[in-house]
């Protein structure tokens, strides 16, 4: 997988050019062949880097075999203890109290009624 694909999750759609600014501009099939050559060089470098990383991991990795009677140390995160003062659920359901305003909104083909409702446990300026 290409690095751009891995990073963004889609293939790169931009025309890629790796020539320096002081070089002459190539047009036509020359740009395609030069781009292909650059891509092949990058792919070879990535293969070398990946194989080097793989050999490093294989040198430092060891296979562990355990029997049923073996003792193993497991690192476990502590469990959060619930105290008797802790509130479990503080949500409540809002109830409408009254309709504070009515308005009729006119559009091109129809009219829409708009209603402003005052909710329980809210101030007048928080009505929706």
């Amino acid at each position: 997988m290409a690095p751009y694909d891995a990073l963004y999750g889609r293939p790169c759609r931009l025309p890629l050019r790796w020539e320096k600014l002081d070089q002459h501009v190539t047009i036509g099939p020359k740009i395609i062949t030069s781009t292909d050559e650059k891509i092949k060089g990058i792919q070879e470098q990535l293969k070398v880097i990946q194989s080097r990383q793989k050999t490093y991991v294989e040198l430092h990795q060891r296979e562990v075999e355990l029997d049923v009677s073996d003792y193993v140390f497991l690192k476990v995160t502590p469990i959060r203890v619930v105290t008797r003062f802790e509130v479990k659920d503080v949500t409540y359901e809002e109830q409408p109290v009254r309709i504070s305003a009515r308005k009729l909104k006119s559009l091109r083909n129809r009219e829409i009624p708009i209603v402003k409702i005052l909710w329980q446990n809210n101030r007048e300026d928080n009505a929706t």
Side-chain angles (χ1 to χ4, degrees):
M1 177 180 284
Y4 188 90
D5 293 344
L7 184 61
Y8 296 107
R10 60 182 171 85
C12 181
R13 289 198 245 160
L14 299 174
L16 300 174
R17 298 192 60 177
W18 285 287
E19 285 85 19
K20 295 182 181 175
L21 294 176
D22 59 341
Q23 293 178 348
H24 67 280
V25 178
T26 56
I27 300 174
K30 289 182 183 178
I31 191 168
I32 295 172
T33 56
S34 68
T35 305
D36 286 343
E37 291 171 2
K38 301 276 183 174
I39 289 174
K40 286 179 183 176
I42 291 171
Q43 287 175 343
E44 290 173 5
Q45 289 176 355
L46 285 173
K47 285 181 184 178
V48 169
I49 292 169
Q50 287 173 347
S51 67
R52 191 177 299 148
Q53 181 66 26
K54 183 180 177 186
T55 56
Y56 176 79
V57 168
E58 287 174 353
L59 287 175
H60 293 89
Q61 188 177 19
R62 61 185 175 142
E63 192 169 323
V64 178
E65 292 182 12
L66 299 173
D67 291 331
V68 176
S69 63
D70 289 343
Y71 289 101
V72 179
F73 179 74
L74 296 176
K75 186 175 181 180
V76 180
T77 58
I79 298 173
R80 187 171 159 244
V81 178
V82 178
T83 62
R84 64 184 176 128
F85 298 108
E86 185 174 344
V87 178
K88 292 188 171 117
D89 188 14
V90 293
T91 60
Y92 64 95
E93 193 171 319
E94 295 248 1
Q95 300 291 328
V97 176
R98 65 182 161 91
I99 296 174
S100 60
R102 290 177 188 250
K103 191 164 81 171
L104 202 57
K105 178 83 173 179
S106 300
L107 300 177
R108 288 184 188 167
N109 300 334
R110 58 184 161 164
E111 294 180 341
I112 299 174
I114 297 177
V115 180
K116 192 171 190 180
I117 299 175
L118 178 64
W119 295 93
Q120 180 183 2
N121 301 326
N122 281 322
R123 297 187 317 240
E124 185 73 33
D125 57 333
N126 288 341
T128 57

